[in-house]
Structure formats: C-alpha cells, structure tokens
Amino acid sequence: MVMKKKLMGGILAITMAMGVLAGCGASSTTNDSGTKAKIRTLDEIKEDGTIKIGVFSDKNPFGYIDSNGEIQGYDVYFAKRIGKDLLGSEDAVEFVYVEAASRVEYLQSGKVDVILANFTVTDERKEQVDFALPYMKVALGIISPDNASITDVSQLKDKKVIVVKGTTAETYFSEKHPELTLVKYDEYQEASDALLDGRGDVFATDNTEALAWSQKNEGFSTSIESIGDIDTIAPAVHKGNTELLDWLNEEIKGLAKEQFFHKDFEETLLPVYGETIDPESLVVEGGAV
C-alpha cells in the first residue's frame, strides 16, 4: 500500500511538472480538429522577428500578385506598415495567402498571427475571432453583363448568382434570399472567371471589388452598387490574443494622425478607381466609422 501511494504521488508530481512546463512555453489552443495549435503572443512575435499576416493573392486591388510576381494591394500596404512599426522592417512580414473560407481556420490553427484579407466584421465571426478597430467600410454589389443588366434583386429569380465561399455575399443571399440559386467557388479568381465564361449570370461580392473588376472588364458593370447594410472591415487575431489585439488597436489609432489609410487609398486604390469612388465612402481612420 505504501509503495502504491508513492507511485501515485510520483505520477501526480510528474503530471504537475509537465503542466507547469507547458504553461511556461508559448500559448496554445485546441482547434476544431481537436489538436493543439500554436498561437504566438506579441512578445513571441517580437522575439522571432517576423509576423505572419494572411492576405488574399487574387482580390485586386486589395491583395493580389502583380505582373512582377510581387504581392500588392490596400491590405498589403497596411500589412507592411505593421511590420515596420512592430518589428522595424516591412520585410519582417511573412505573407500567407488565404482563401475567404479559410480565414478563421488559419487564425485558429496558428498558421497566421493576423488576418488582413478584406475581413468583414460580423456577429458570427466575432464568436470565433477577435477584431481590431476597422480601417474600411464596405457593402455588397452585383456585377452583371451589360447586355443582361440586373438593377434590382428581384430580377435575380431564375438566375445563377456566383459567390465566393465564406464571404458575406454567400451569407447574405443564403439567409435573405434562399430562393435564389447560388454557384459557389473557393477563390475570387475562379468566381470572376465563371462570370466571364457564362457559368453564372451575375457575381455578388464586395462592392469595392465589384467596381474595380467591372472597370477592368469590358462588357460588364456593377449594376447594383450597394445591397444590405454598410459593414466594416478590420484586422482579426486569434480569440483571446489580447496583447496583439491591443497593439493593433493602438497602431490604427496612431496611424490616423497621419491619415495613413487615405495615403493607402491614393497609392493602391485611386489608380484603379479613379474618380468613381469617394475615399470618404470607403476609408476609415482611427477606427472612427
């Protein structure tokens, strides 16, 4: 009996010691698959000297690969400034390309520290991630061929509506108009190609992207420029990563003093939109909508 008690006591001591060691290391969380994910704290990011930021690679002009193979766009411009201010160099950013439907999973699994992929703030997403202050406003829009222009949602009956999985467009039309036929794709490039190929009648997406895309593609127009509510877009971090969230919020507030996001607009969006979009209808400075 004494030997059994000693054995049990030894096992308990080892177990407690392992728990202490785990607590001294990096934070972790259990993701949806039941495995432990490595979530980096602000101090760990600083110690490593790099920050992993998730962006789109196929959503021009917010995150895309240019003709030289370089990542560019409104979100990318912001991401580079984060790298500079947090770690001293734009090159400290490790860009991770994401799809719309993978943004939450990439945060929860620790594949990225921050998502800057045109991430619209919604109540459902707030339950899964923590959003920082917003830096942009957005609504939904509809792109349609000029020879079959759609100017009202009621005209979408019996039409095929192209959406990207995991976007607010998919959510909106699934909830508000379940009678419509949605054709879903994983990537923005696939969705826009489907519209060009006639595999759908219209493409529902963020109005900012819709306007940019239709300007570049002759024969198509953003025939409905605003559907539903005006939403905000914000950076997101893993839920509970408070120090990183607080740093991002202070960064966004500080950038407002120099009108950073207006400069971002001028550098990345103005060449695309020209005078078709008033920057005040899109840009948010210091989180003040």
Side-chain angles (χ1 to χ4, degrees):
M1 181 66 72
V2 173
M3 289 183 65
K4 184 179 287 188
K5 286 182 177 179
K6 287 183 177 180
L7 179 60
M8 292 299 292
I11 292 172
L12 179 60
I14 292 171
T15 302
M16 291 176 66
M18 289 176 68
V20 171
L21 288 172
C24 292
S27 59
S28 65
T29 187
T30 302
N31 59 24
D32 292 339
S33 64
T35 59
K36 290 289 185 180
K38 171 72 167 58
I39 308 303
R40 303 198 305 166
T41 64
L42 180 64
D43 286 342
E44 288 168 336
I45 291 169
K46 289 180 178 179
E47 183 178 351
D48 182 64
T50 61
I51 183 167
K52 299 176 182 179
I53 299 182
V55 296
F56 286 127
S57 62
D58 63 346
K59 191 172 184 180
N60 190 344
F62 300 97
Y64 67 99
I65 306 297
D66 67 15
S67 58
N68 296 318
E70 299 291 330
I71 185 70
Q72 304 286 357
Y74 186 80
D75 291 339
V76 174
Y77 190 96
F78 180 26
K80 289 180 178 179
R81 180 59 182 265
I82 289 173
K84 180 180 178 181
D85 290 349
L86 179 61
L87 300 170
S89 172
E90 294 181 355
D91 295 332
V93 178
E94 179 182 335
F95 287 106
V96 179
Y97 302 146
V98 300
E99 296 176 358
S102 70
R103 290 174 292 191
V104 170
E105 187 273 327
Y106 269 47
L107 280 175
Q108 292 179 335
S109 63
K111 293 177 183 177
V112 298
D113 303 305
V114 179
I115 285 288
L116 277 186
N118 238 213
F119 209 11
T120 303
V121 179
T122 68
D123 290 337
E124 181 181 1
R125 289 170 178 169
K126 285 180 181 178
E127 296 177 1
Q128 301 174 296
V129 303
D130 283 340
F131 284 102
L133 294 170
Y135 61 97
M136 199 170 88
K137 292 177 284 189
V138 69
L140 295 177
I142 292 286
I143 306 170
S144 61
D146 292 340
N147 59 6
S149 183
I150 297 294
T151 57
D152 190 87
V153 174
S154 62
Q155 296 174 288
L156 293 174
K157 183 181 179 181
D158 301 324
K159 303 290 185 181
K160 292 181 179 179
V161 181
I162 298 168
V163 295
V164 176
K165 296 177 184 177
T167 63
T168 48
E170 179 191 20
T171 301
Y172 176 83
F173 283 100
S174 295
E175 293 180 353
K176 303 294 185 182
H177 297 281
E179 75 281 3
L180 298 180
T181 301
L182 301 185
V183 184
K184 303 178 183 182
Y185 292 93
D186 290 319
E187 299 178 357
Y188 282 93
Q189 189 63 55
E190 291 177 328
S192 58
D193 286 347
L195 181 62
L196 289 170
D197 296 343
R199 285 173 280 153
D201 298 293
V202 300
F203 180 19
T205 185
D206 291 350
N207 60 353
T208 49
E209 185 201 7
L211 289 163
W213 190 90
S214 58
Q215 280 190 261
K216 289 187 172 183
N217 291 271
E218 188 175 352
F220 294 87
S221 300
T222 302
S223 51
I224 302 179
E225 293 190 5
S226 184
I227 300 173
D229 297 329
I230 301 296
D231 294 314
T232 57
I233 286 175
V237 301
H238 185 276
K239 200 155 190 66
N241 199 344
T242 306
E243 291 181 354
L244 180 56
L245 180 69
D246 290 345
W247 185 91
L248 284 169
N249 282 334
E250 290 305 312
E251 173 76 349
I252 291 169
K253 292 177 185 176
L255 291 175
K257 297 175 183 178
E258 61 185 77
Q259 292 289 284
F260 171 82
F261 291 104
H262 281 79
K263 294 177 183 177
D264 191 348
F265 180 95
E266 292 174 4
E267 291 287 333
T268 63
L269 302 186
L270 185 60
V272 175
Y273 293 125
E275 302 299 323
T276 61
I277 288 187
D278 178 1
E280 302 308 318
S281 69
L282 184 150
V283 174
V284 174
E285 294 283 4
V289 180

